[in-house]
C-alpha cells in the first residue's frame, strides 16, 4: 500500500504481486530479505486500486448529521432531509429506524409495513448517516441505522447480536464467533469485519470499549447541536483505507509524508500493534508514486482504450445509466498453425475477462455494467470465460452481482457505487461539447454562418461592408481556396465581408463588430499598420520563395523576407505592407535594425550574378501565397504576352522603380501577382577572355524569347531553361565582378 500526501490531495494506491507477503516471515528473515530485495521495481507490482481525496472535496460517506425533514413524498415512500449541504439527502422508508417503533422491511412492491407519512413529518429532526456520496444530480443517500467503524468491528447502536463477514472462510468465521461470544455489548450489536482475520478476544474487548466511548460522545453532540449540522466526521482517506483494508496480507505500507506516517503508526499502536513494523516512511529522492509506476496508471485511467497482452483491446464508454465495455480482437490473429477462429476469440475473451475486473477496481466503476465479449459458438468456451470473470471478481471487495453470458456474448452485472471514481474526481465535463464527445466541424459552422450573413444583409441593408468576428479556423472556410466562397457570397449580396478574431474564440462564436463603407471597414479590419514591430513565431517556409518564411497570428499570414533560416524561432519583425488577409514584414536584429537580404544570404551588395530587389514585393508575395488560384491565372495571362527584351542593368533603387520597369521591358505587373520574380534583372559582365558589346548581349537575349519569358515567370531563383538557362548559367560561372 502506497500513501502519498501533499498540499492539494491525498492519494492511496493498492499494489498486488504474486506470492506470499514478505513481511509475514520471521523478523530476522524479513529484514535480510528486505535488504536483498531492495525497492521493488515497477514491473514487480500491478496497481489494483486507486483512491484520491482532495481538500474541499472529501467523501462524506460515514459522516453522521443531525438533519431536518424537508419534504415527505408518499408516492416514492421516501423523504428529503436537509443536512446542511447544497442538496438534500434522500432517505427511503426501509432505512428509517425510530426508538420504540417497529418498521418491518417493506421492499419494493410489498404491502406490509407502515407508510412513511406515519413515521416522518416535515420539520422533524432526525439523526442520519451518509451511505452514498452525492453523485452528479443526485443528493446523498441516507440511513437512520447508524454505525461506527473500528479496526476489527463495526458497532451498530440500533442493532443487536454479533455478525461475521461472509467474505471470510467458513473455518475462520467459526473461530471468530467463538472469540466474540459473550462480549459485553450492553446495547446495540457488532459486525466482525474481514480485517479481523486472526484477531484474538483481547483485541475485540479493547476495541469494543473504544467504540462505546465514541458512541457516548456522539450522543452528547446530538443533544448540543441544532439541526442541520454535522455531529460525527469519518476519518480521512489514508486512515480510512488503512483501517478497512490493511492486514497481514499486505507486505507493507509506504508513506511519503512524515506527519501522516506518525498518524498511521499511532493508529496501529492502539488498534493492531503487530502491524506497526509494516508501516514505513519513504525517504528516497524519487517520488513514491513515480517509483512504483502509479503515475502512469493514473494517466491510463482517463483513456477509453485498454490494451490486452495478446494484441486485443477494450473500449470503455461511460453513459448516464450504465458503463459499456467492448472487447475487440485487435491485432491478435491466433497462435500456432492450428489456431482457428473460435480459439482466437476465446483467448481474447479470457484475457478480457480478467482485465475487465482490473479496470472496474482501478477506475472504481459502479452501477450497471454491460460487457460485450466477442461472440463464441461453443457453450464450454462461454462457461470458461464466465468462470474466469467470477474468479477475478472474488478479489474485488465491492459488492457485485453478475448474470450469465448471453448468446450474443453480453454479460450484465452491477457493482456497488458508493463514491465518485478516480475518473470523475480528476476530470470535468468538456465546456465545448458539454459531455457529448463530438462538436460541429468548422465546415458545418461556416455553412451556418454563411446563411446568417445573408440575413445580416437583409437586417442592415444600408451598410456596404461588415466586419465579422469569428474563430480563424471558421473564417478560413471563407477565405481559403482562393476565397471562392467569399467572392460568391459577396457577388450574391453585393456587399463586402471582412473577418477578425482569435483562436481563443469558440468555434460557434459569431458577432458583427462594425458596419459601414468598405473603406471604413477595411480600416478597422487591418490588424497592423506599416511600421508596427511585432514579435512573431516563424512557423513554416514560404511556399513560393525559398529565402522567405511565414508567420501566422490568429490565422493572419505575415510573409517575412529572408527568414527561411529562422523557422521555429520567435523573432521581431517590422510590418512593411498590410493587406486584407496577409502582410509583408522585414526581419529585425537584436538592435531593432532591419536585416538586409545581402547579410542574410551571405553576399555583398556588389557581388555578381542575379540580384533581387525586395521592398514592396513582399506584400504581393504574401497575397499570392494566400490566393494561389488567382496567382496562377494571372501568371498564365502574363505568359501569353509578347516577349520583352531585358536590358543590361543593375537592380535600381526603390525610388526609381517605375522608370526601371519601363527600361527593363517588364511593363506593368497585374494586380495580385507576385511581382518579385518579374523584377529580377540579369547583370552581364565583360571578361578578358570574351569581350562582347552590349548590343551583342542584347541580341542574344532577344533571340531566346521562349527561354527568357519562361525565366521571368518562374518564382524560384534557380532555373534551367531549354537553351537560355544553360547559357546564362555558363555566363555567370565565367563572369568576374565589375
Amino acid at each position: 500500500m502506497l500513501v502519498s500526501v501533499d498540499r492539494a490531495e491525498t492519494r492511496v494506491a493498492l499494489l498486488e504481486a504474486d506470492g506470499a507477503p514478505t513481511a509475514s516471515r520471521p523478523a530476522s528473515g524479513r529484514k535480510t530479505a528486505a535488504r536483498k530485495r531492495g525497492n521493488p521495481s515497477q514491473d514487480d507490482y500491478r496497481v489494483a486500486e486507486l483512491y484520491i481525496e482532495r481538500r474541499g472535496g472529501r467523501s462524506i460517506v460515514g459522516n453522521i448529521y443531525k438533519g431536518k425533514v424537508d419534504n415527505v413524498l408518499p408516492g416514492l415512500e421516501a423523504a428529503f432531509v436537509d443536512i446542511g449541504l447544497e442538496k438534500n439527502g434522500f432517505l427511503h422508508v426501509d432505512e428509517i429506524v425510530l426508538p420504540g417503533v417497529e418498521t418491518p422491511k417493506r421492499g419494493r412492491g410489498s404491502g406490509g409495513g407502515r407508510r412513511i407519512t406515519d413515521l416522518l413529518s416535515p420539520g422533524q429532526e432526525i439523526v442520519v448517516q451518509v451511505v452514498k456520496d452525492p453523485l452528479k444530480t443526485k443528493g446523498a443517500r441516507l440511513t437512520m441505522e447508524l454505525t461506527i467503524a473500528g479496526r476489527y468491528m463495526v458497532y451498530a447502536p440500533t442493532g443487536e447480536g454479533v455478525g461475521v463477514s461472509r467474505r471470510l472462510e467458513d473455518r475462520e468465521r467459526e473461530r471468530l464467533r467463538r472469540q466474540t461470544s459473550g462480549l459485553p455489548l450492553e446495547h446495540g450489536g457488532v459486525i466482525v469485519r474481514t480485517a479481523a482475520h486472526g484477531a484474538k478476544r483481547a483485541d475485540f474487548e479493547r476495541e469494543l470499549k473504544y467504540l462505546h466511548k465514541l458512541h457516548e460522545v456522539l450522543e452528547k453532540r446530538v443533544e448540543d447541536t441544532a439541526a442541520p449540522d454535522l455531529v460525527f466526521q469519518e476519518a480521512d482517506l489514508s486512515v480510512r483505507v488503512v483501517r478497512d483494508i490493511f492486514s497481514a496480507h499486505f507486505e507493507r505500507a509506504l508513506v511519503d509524508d512524515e506527519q501522516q506516517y506518525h498518524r498511521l503508526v499511532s493508529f496501529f499502536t492502539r488498534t493492531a500493534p503487530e502491524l506497526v513494523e509494516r508501516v514505513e516512511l519513504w525517504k528516497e529522492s524519487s517520488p513514491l508514486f513515480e517509483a512504483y509506476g502509479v503515475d502512469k496508471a493514473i494517466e491510463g485511467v482517463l483513456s477509453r482504450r485498454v490494451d490486452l497482452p495478446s494484441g486485443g483491446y477494450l473500449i470503455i464508454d461511460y453513459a448516464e445509466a450504465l458503463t459499456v465495455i467492448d472487447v475487440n480482437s485487435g491485432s491478435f490473429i491466433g497462435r500456432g498453425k492450428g489456431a482457428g477462429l473460435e480459439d482466437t476469440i476465446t483467448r481474447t475473451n479470457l484475457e478480457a475477462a480478467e482485465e475487465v475486473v482490473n479496470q472496474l477496481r482501478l477506475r472504481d466503476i459502479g452501477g450497471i455494467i454491460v460487457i460485450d465479449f466477442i461472440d463464441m459458438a461453443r457453450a464450454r468456451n462461454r462457461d470458461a470465460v464466465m468462470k474466469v470473470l467470477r474468479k477475478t471478481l472474488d478479489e474485488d471487495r465491492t459488492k457485485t452481482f453478475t448474470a450469465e453470458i448471453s448468446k450474443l456474448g453480453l454479460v450484465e452485472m452491477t457493482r456497488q457505487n458508493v463514491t465518485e471514481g478516480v475518473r470523475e474526481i480528476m476530470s470535468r465535463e468538456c465546456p465545448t461539447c458539454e459531455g457529448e464527445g463530438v462538436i460541429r466541424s468548422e465546415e458545418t459552422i461556416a455553412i451556418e454562418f454563411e446563411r446568417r450573413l445573408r440575413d445580416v444583409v437583409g437586417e442592415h441593408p444600408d451598410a456596404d461592408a461588415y466586419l465579422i468576428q469569428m474563430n480563424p479556423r471558421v473564417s478560413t472556410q471563407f477565405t481559403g481556396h482562393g476565397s471562392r466562397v467569399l467572392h460568391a457570397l459577396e457577388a450574391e449580396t453585393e456587399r463586402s465581408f471582412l473577418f477578425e478574431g482569435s483562436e481563443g474564440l469558440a468555434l460557434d462564436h459569431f458577432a458583427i463588430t462594425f458596419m459601414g463603407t468598405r473603406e471604413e471597414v477595411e480600416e478597422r479590419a487591418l490588424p497592423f499598420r506599416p511600421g508596427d514591430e511585432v514579435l512573431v513565431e516563424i512557423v513554416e517556409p514560404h511556399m513560393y520563395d525559398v529565402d522567405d518564411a511565414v508567420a501566422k497570428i490568429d490565422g493572419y499570414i505575415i510573409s517575412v523576407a529572408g527568414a527561411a533560416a529562422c523557422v521555429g524561432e520567435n523573432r521581431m519583425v517590422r510590418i512593411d505592407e498590410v493587406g486584407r488577409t496577409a502582410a509583408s514584414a522585414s526581419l529585425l536584429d537584436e538592435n531593432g535594425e532591419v536585416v538586409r537580404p545581402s547579410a542574410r544570404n551571405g553576399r555583398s551588395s556588389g557581388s555578381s550574378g542575379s540580384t533581387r530587389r525586395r521592398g514592396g514585393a513582399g506584400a504581393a508575395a504574401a497575397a499570392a501565397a494566400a490566393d494561389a488560384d488567382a496567382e496562377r491565372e494571372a501568371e498564365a495571362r502574363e505568359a501569353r504576352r509578347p516577349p520583352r527584351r531585358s536590358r543590361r542593368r543593375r537592380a535600381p533603387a526603390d525610388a526609381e522603380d517605375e522608370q526601371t520597369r519601363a527600361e527593363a521591358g517588364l511593363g506593368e505587373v497585374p494586380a495580385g501577382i507576385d511581382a518579385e520574380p518579374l523584377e529580377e534583372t540579369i547583370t552581364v559582365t565583360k571578361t578578358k577572355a570574351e569581350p562582347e558589346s552590349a548590343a551583342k548581349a542584347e541580341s542574344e537575349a532577344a533571340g531566346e524569347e521562349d527561354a527568357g519569358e519562361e525565366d521571368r515567370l518562374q518564382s524560384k531563383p534557380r532555373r534551367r531553361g531549354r537553351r537560355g538557362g544553360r547559357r546564362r548559367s555558363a555566363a555567370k560561372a565565367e563572369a568576374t565582378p565589375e
Side-chain angles (χ1 to χ4, degrees):
M1 180 180 296
L2 308 180
V3 180
S4 177
V5 181
D6 55 25
R7 182 196 60 81
E9 65 182 4
T10 300
R11 300 177 295 173
V12 179
L14 272 61
L15 277 62
E16 292 180 349
D18 296 332
T22 307
S24 61
R25 303 174 184 174
S28 59
R30 179 173 66 249
K31 294 179 181 178
T32 303
R35 285 195 298 268
K36 292 181 179 180
R37 183 180 64 255
N39 293 329
S41 63
Q42 176 180 344
D43 298 333
D44 295 331
Y45 294 97
R46 178 184 64 84
V47 182
E49 297 179 18
L50 281 172
Y51 303 93
I52 297 179
E53 186 174 81
R54 294 178 175 173
R55 292 189 177 182
R58 286 184 56 176
S59 171
I60 63 173
V61 173
N63 288 0
I64 299 177
Y65 294 86
K66 185 177 182 180
K68 181 180 294 185
V69 178
D70 185 63
N71 196 8
V72 179
L73 304 178
L76 296 178
E77 291 292 347
F80 287 95
V81 183
D82 181 11
I83 56 176
L85 302 180
E86 181 180 356
K87 295 180 180 179
N88 290 341
F90 180 83
L91 177 65
H92 191 261
V93 65
D94 289 346
E95 303 292 341
I96 297 177
V97 177
L98 295 174
V101 179
E102 293 187 6
T103 54
K105 300 299 180 185
R106 299 164 57 98
R108 185 173 300 178
S110 61
R114 303 179 61 179
R115 296 180 57 83
I116 191 171
T117 53
D118 299 332
L119 302 175
L120 299 178
S121 59
Q124 181 178 348
E125 294 185 355
I126 56 177
V127 180
V128 293
Q129 187 172 29
V130 178
V131 296
K132 188 175 182 180
D133 276 327
L135 300 176
K136 298 180 180 178
T137 60
K138 300 178 181 178
R141 186 71 179 263
L142 306 176
T143 182
M144 294 182 67
E145 296 182 359
L146 307 183
T147 58
I148 303 176
R151 167 69 181 168
Y152 300 120
M153 296 184 299
V154 175
Y155 176 63
T158 58
E160 58 183 16
V162 178
V164 182
S165 172
R166 295 182 180 180
R167 298 184 64 87
L168 294 170
E169 298 178 357
D170 293 340
R171 181 178 298 179
E172 180 64 17
R173 292 184 64 193
E174 291 299 327
R175 189 190 70 83
L176 292 175
R177 288 186 184 277
R178 293 193 298 268
Q179 294 291 330
T180 56
S181 62
L183 283 176
L185 298 179
E186 297 179 3
H187 56 81
V190 294
I191 300 174
V192 180
R193 312 184 64 171
T194 307
H197 186 283
K200 303 297 189 294
R201 183 176 180 85
D203 299 327
F204 294 115
E205 293 177 348
R206 180 178 63 250
E207 186 163 279
L208 186 60
K209 294 180 181 179
Y210 172 71
L211 295 176
H212 280 161
K213 187 174 182 180
L214 284 181
H215 182 243
E216 293 176 1
V217 174
L218 172 62
E219 289 182 328
K220 188 174 186 307
R221 288 183 179 178
V222 170
E223 296 176 359
D224 299 339
T225 303
D229 202 354
L230 174 69
V231 293
F232 176 83
Q233 186 174 18
E234 182 62 288
D236 60 11
L237 176 65
S238 58
V239 175
R240 187 168 66 249
V241 174
V242 169
R243 179 196 66 195
D244 297 344
I245 301 176
F246 196 75
S247 63
H249 295 288
F250 283 80
E251 179 177 337
R252 54 182 172 166
L254 294 176
V255 188
D256 64 1
D257 181 74
E258 186 173 0
Q259 182 178 0
Q260 194 69 22
Y261 165 75
H262 290 301
R263 288 190 61 190
L264 296 181
V265 169
S266 176
F267 172 77
F268 280 122
T269 302
R270 297 193 310 269
T271 59
E274 70 278 4
L275 298 179
V276 172
E277 293 183 355
R278 303 197 185 194
V279 181
E280 301 179 12
L281 179 63
W282 179 260
K283 298 181 180 180
E284 304 295 334
S285 58
S286 59
L288 177 59
F289 272 35
E290 181 180 339
Y292 282 85
V294 182
D295 287 339
K296 185 177 180 180
I298 293 177
E299 293 178 2
V301 165
L302 302 179
S303 175
R304 293 178 63 238
R305 173 168 174 155
V306 180
D307 293 324
L308 300 175
S310 64
Y313 60 92
L314 307 177
I315 294 295
I316 304 176
D317 287 320
Y318 301 86
E320 181 70 21
L322 51 82
T323 301
V324 180
I325 303 177
D326 184 31
V327 181
N328 299 277
S329 60
S331 60
F332 183 56
I333 57 176
R335 293 182 179 177
K337 296 182 179 180
L341 176 61
E342 184 73 8
D343 297 333
T344 303
I345 291 175
T346 304
R347 175 63 182 274
T348 303
N349 285 339
L350 289 173
E351 291 183 355
E354 184 176 352
E355 185 59 33
V356 162
V357 179
N358 294 339
Q359 292 299 318
L360 295 181
R361 297 176 60 194
L362 184 63
R363 301 173 183 233
D364 196 15
I365 300 175
I368 301 175
I369 301 166
V370 177
I371 309 171
D372 183 13
F373 288 103
I374 306 175
D375 296 346
M376 292 171 287
R378 300 174 185 173
R380 61 184 179 89
N381 291 336
R382 294 195 292 268
D383 294 340
V385 172
M386 286 301 302
K387 183 178 180 180
V388 172
L389 181 64
R390 288 197 170 97
K391 181 180 179 181
T392 313
L393 281 172
D394 290 340
E395 302 174 2
D396 188 7
R397 297 178 300 103
T398 305
K399 295 179 181 179
T400 58
F401 172 78
T402 307
E404 294 294 333
I405 187 170
S406 68
K407 294 182 179 180
L408 299 178
L410 298 178
V411 173
E412 300 174 359
M413 62 176 296
T414 60
R415 188 171 185 268
Q416 187 178 16
N417 195 356
V418 177
T419 62
E420 288 186 324
V422 178
R423 176 177 175 269
E424 285 72 20
I425 295 175
M426 296 180 58
S427 62
R428 67 181 180 90
E429 186 180 82
C430 173
T432 302
C433 71
E434 296 180 351
E436 295 294 332
V438 294
I439 60 174
R440 291 181 298 169
S441 65
E442 291 84 349
E443 182 180 7
T444 303
I445 298 175
I447 293 174
E448 178 184 337
F449 284 179
E450 184 177 352
R451 300 190 186 102
R452 192 178 299 185
L453 289 175
R454 295 191 184 98
D455 297 338
V456 169
V457 174
E459 296 171 359
H460 306 280
D462 298 335
D464 295 330
Y466 307 86
L467 182 59
I468 310 299
Q469 186 182 67
M470 64 176 66
N471 190 292
R473 285 185 286 170
V474 179
S475 62
T476 302
Q477 301 294 321
F478 292 92
T479 60
H481 304 288
S483 301
R484 286 195 295 266
V485 175
L486 181 59
H487 292 162
L489 179 63
E490 291 179 339
E492 177 186 350
T493 60
E494 297 181 351
R495 301 291 192 278
S496 297
F497 300 96
L498 289 91
F499 305 99
E500 66 175 0
S502 64
E503 291 288 350
L505 295 175
L507 283 180
D508 58 353
H509 178 82
F510 180 93
I512 304 173
T513 58
F514 188 73
M515 295 181 294
T517 64
R518 180 179 177 85
E519 292 75 14
E520 293 173 342
V521 174
E522 286 182 348
E523 181 67 18
R524 287 282 300 269
L526 296 179
F528 304 108
R529 298 290 183 271
D532 289 350
E533 295 184 358
V534 186
L535 178 64
V536 299
E537 180 184 1
I538 311 297
V539 295
E540 61 186 21
H542 198 284
M543 184 181 298
Y544 302 106
D545 196 323
V546 296
D547 294 332
D548 296 351
V550 173
K552 295 181 181 179
I553 299 180
D554 291 330
Y556 189 81
I557 299 175
I558 301 177
S559 178
V560 185
C566 303
V567 174
E569 300 179 6
N570 293 327
R571 297 294 298 270
M572 290 292 297
V573 299
R574 180 175 298 163
I575 304 297
D576 296 330
E577 294 190 13
V578 182
R580 182 174 178 180
T581 59
S584 65
S586 299
L587 195 64
L588 301 181
D589 58 15
E590 294 78 0
N591 300 322
E593 300 294 333
V594 176
V595 181
R596 298 300 176 185
S598 58
R600 289 193 297 266
N601 298 332
R603 299 190 300 265
S604 63
S605 59
S607 61
S608 63
S610 64
T611 60
R612 310 192 68 164
R613 296 189 295 107
R614 302 199 176 266
D627 197 352
D629 293 341
E631 179 184 6
R632 286 193 294 270
E633 181 181 353
E635 286 182 358
R637 290 199 304 267
E638 182 68 18
R640 292 192 293 270
R641 292 186 179 184
R644 305 179 187 273
R645 299 184 179 184
S646 62
R647 298 186 181 276
R648 183 166 55 102
R649 298 180 59 88
R650 290 190 176 274
D654 292 343
E656 302 173 354
D657 184 76
E658 297 300 331
Q659 180 181 355
T660 304
R661 287 180 179 275
E663 293 178 355
L666 295 176
E668 296 181 357
V669 180
I673 303 302
D674 188 353
E676 185 175 6
L678 301 179
E679 294 175 350
E680 179 171 350
T681 59
I682 301 174
T683 303
V684 181
T685 59
K686 296 182 180 181
T687 62
K688 296 181 180 179
E690 187 181 1
E692 294 184 3
S693 63
K696 183 177 180 180
E698 182 176 350
S699 175
E700 287 183 2
E704 300 168 354
E705 296 172 349
D706 294 340
E709 185 66 17
E710 180 182 356
D711 285 348
R712 286 195 296 270
L713 292 174
Q714 292 295 328
S715 298
K716 296 183 178 181
R718 299 177 180 177
R719 299 179 298 276
R720 292 294 183 267
R722 286 173 293 179
R723 292 177 297 172
R726 286 194 295 269
R727 292 184 179 181
R728 278 195 296 274
S729 298
K732 293 177 182 179
E734 298 173 359
T736 58
E738 293 182 342

